[in-house]
Amino acid sequence: MMKNKGRIAALLLAAALVALTVSACGKDGKKSETKTVKFSEVIRSIFYAPHYVAMSQGFFEDEGLNVDMNTAQGSDKGAAALIAGTADISLVGPETTIYIFNQKGDKTLKVFHQLTAKDGSFLLSREKLDDFKWSDLNGKTILGWRPGSAPQMVMNSTLIQEGTDGVNVITNIASPALAGAFTSGQGDFIQLFEPVASTLVQEGKAHYVASLGEAFGDFPETSYVATSDYIKNNPDVIQSFVNAVAKGAEWLNTASDDEIAGALSPFFEGTSKELILQSVNRYKDQGTWPTRPELTQEQFDTLQNVLVENGVLKDAERVANMNDIVDMSFVRKLGKTE
């Protein structure tokens, strides 16, 4: 009996050693190390669901990455973190790469993965409107985003596109304080991302009237960005990062409601399963996450046109060669075998 127990113990020990060996090795059997990536997201929103899925489902881990995430609360802050070296990769508006490039400083930023292809904000009203028209905004006040940010520029360009008149857009309220300012009585309308938008609607404090993403159309709102030096020195990390996020986006298209809610809930504590799924479906329905996360020349031209229209970029300051601040080589390798 004692001999059998000894044999069982030995077998269990051997199995444990094998498991440890496998976990420390890559697919080729060679020892691999987990690389920590300092990552900065612009805000916390279900707009970026593929990223959170990649974290919760272990897709980054499968690629040998440990993502150390913080929330910058602004593309300007996320870009500054890259320049300062406190972040390796940031999820920000691609316009930041143009701003930094035109400063002609020591560092440049490059987009290497286009996560979203539409604006992710929604327009809510204080009073219920059964048949919303953009002219309903004439003479009204909207609580919006900071000047020069992608959602603020998309809002302004949409107002121009729709021929509105006399709309007052408030742009000096910090994004985390927007919902609170509206519920305390400021503004007639508010521009919010999910799940905050749906939360206000569910609480009866606002009414859904329009999707900025649908109203404006295709727009490269949020991209993964790193310094040119980081991309050059860490191509394997960048490729692994792209692979993991792409898996996250693909997983969202096939997972069940319960699986999606379970994957996203840890990042949105206090948000119900119902609101999480409603937010995901709203973003899916407007074509937020492209099948191929590539920033195209057409999208880049649209971006620069919006920047010029909004007065944050002079026509003479347009970046002539997109490749100076965009590197889609990692995205183009998706689905290809060695």
Side-chain angles (χ1 to χ4, degrees), residues 12 28 94 96 99 111 128 136 140 144 155 160 163 175 222 232 234 282 284 307-308 317 334:
L12 289 173
D28 58 1
T96 58
Y99 300 154
V111 174
K128 192 174 189 311
D136 292 334
K140 301 295 185 180
M155 169 63 79
I160 294 171
S175 56
T222 330
K232 179 181 178 181
N234 300 276
R282 272 189 176 162
K284 279 184 176 180
L307 298 181
V308 171
E317 294 174 335
L334 288 172

Side-chain angles (χ1 to χ4, degrees), residues 36 45 62 65 73 93 101 111 142 152 192 217 221 233 287 289 326:
T36 295
S45 171
D62 291 345
L65 301 180
Q73 301 295 355
F101 181 79
V111 174
I142 302 172
Q152 181 270 326
L192 290 172
E221 178 133 331
N233 296 330
W289 304 305
V326 175

